[in-house]
Amino acid sequence: MSECLFCKIINDSVPAMFIYEDDDIVAFNDINPQAPVHILIVPKKHIPTVMDIEKNSVDLIGKIYLVAQRLSLEHGISEQGFRLVVNCNHDAGQEIFHIHFHLLGGRKMLWPPG
Ligand code: 5GP
Ligand code: ZN
């Protein structure tokens, strides 16, 4: 997956770029934030979309939620609330085909989403 931007970030990044890292998952700030807190939580494994999640990745995807909990606490948005968003394919506006979870918070979110 050498041409995948997020694989490159995961493989080439200096550690300081990440606000969270473990063996399976990294998190870093979105380059174009849509809220005061806008963090991307990304599995190191290259899974292109939600449609490519297989049974052997279910634990990994579950761990993403624990990382989201931790980051929401660290960034002071756990009580006020936050949104965790995964865009899948064209109609949802997915641009990077390496699955990632947007952790958005620090402002009131609108519903329905645009
Ligand atoms: P998607 O539309 O695929 O759900 O979200 C892709 C996200 O990645 C966008 O919010 C975009 O701003 C972010 N992004 C794209 N390129 C980069 C980059 O080089 N660095 C970082 N930190 N975020 C990026
Ligand atoms: Zn990738």
Side-chain angles (χ1 to χ4, degrees):
M1 300 304 163
S2 57
E3 72 285 5
C4 169
L5 175 64
F6 282 0
C7 281
K8 279 186 189 151
I9 287 176
I10 289 160
N11 293 325
D12 302 338
S13 176
V14 288
M17 180 180 178
F18 298 139
I19 54 183
Y20 175 86
E21 180 173 16
D22 64 28
D23 286 348
D24 304 313
I25 294 166
V26 297
F28 49 88
N29 286 313
D30 196 290
I31 203 170
N32 182 23
Q34 301 301 312
V37 176
H38 187 171
I39 298 168
L40 300 175
I41 306 173
V42 188
K44 290 182 176 177
K45 182 176 179 181
H46 182 88
I47 300 171
T49 80
V50 166
M51 296 309 299
D52 301 299
I53 297 169
E54 295 176 348
K55 280 201 174 140
N56 62 8
S57 293
V58 165
D59 283 355
L60 171 64
I61 299 302
K63 272 184 66 183
I64 299 262
Y65 284 82
L66 297 179
V67 174
Q69 280 182 355
R70 173 178 167 154
L71 290 171
S72 73
L73 286 164
E74 287 176 0
H75 289 78
I77 57 171
S78 60
E79 289 197 16
Q80 285 286 106
F82 58 85
R83 190 166 284 169
L84 199 55
V85 175
V86 190
N87 295 320
C88 180
N89 282 333
H90 181 266
D91 272 6
Q94 185 174 3
E95 291 176 350
I96 308 284
F97 285 81
H98 179 133
I99 197 172
H100 50 281
F101 291 62
H102 298 255
L103 176 63
L104 295 148
R107 68 168 171 82
K108 185 93 171 74
M109 298 291 156
L110 301 176
W111 192 265

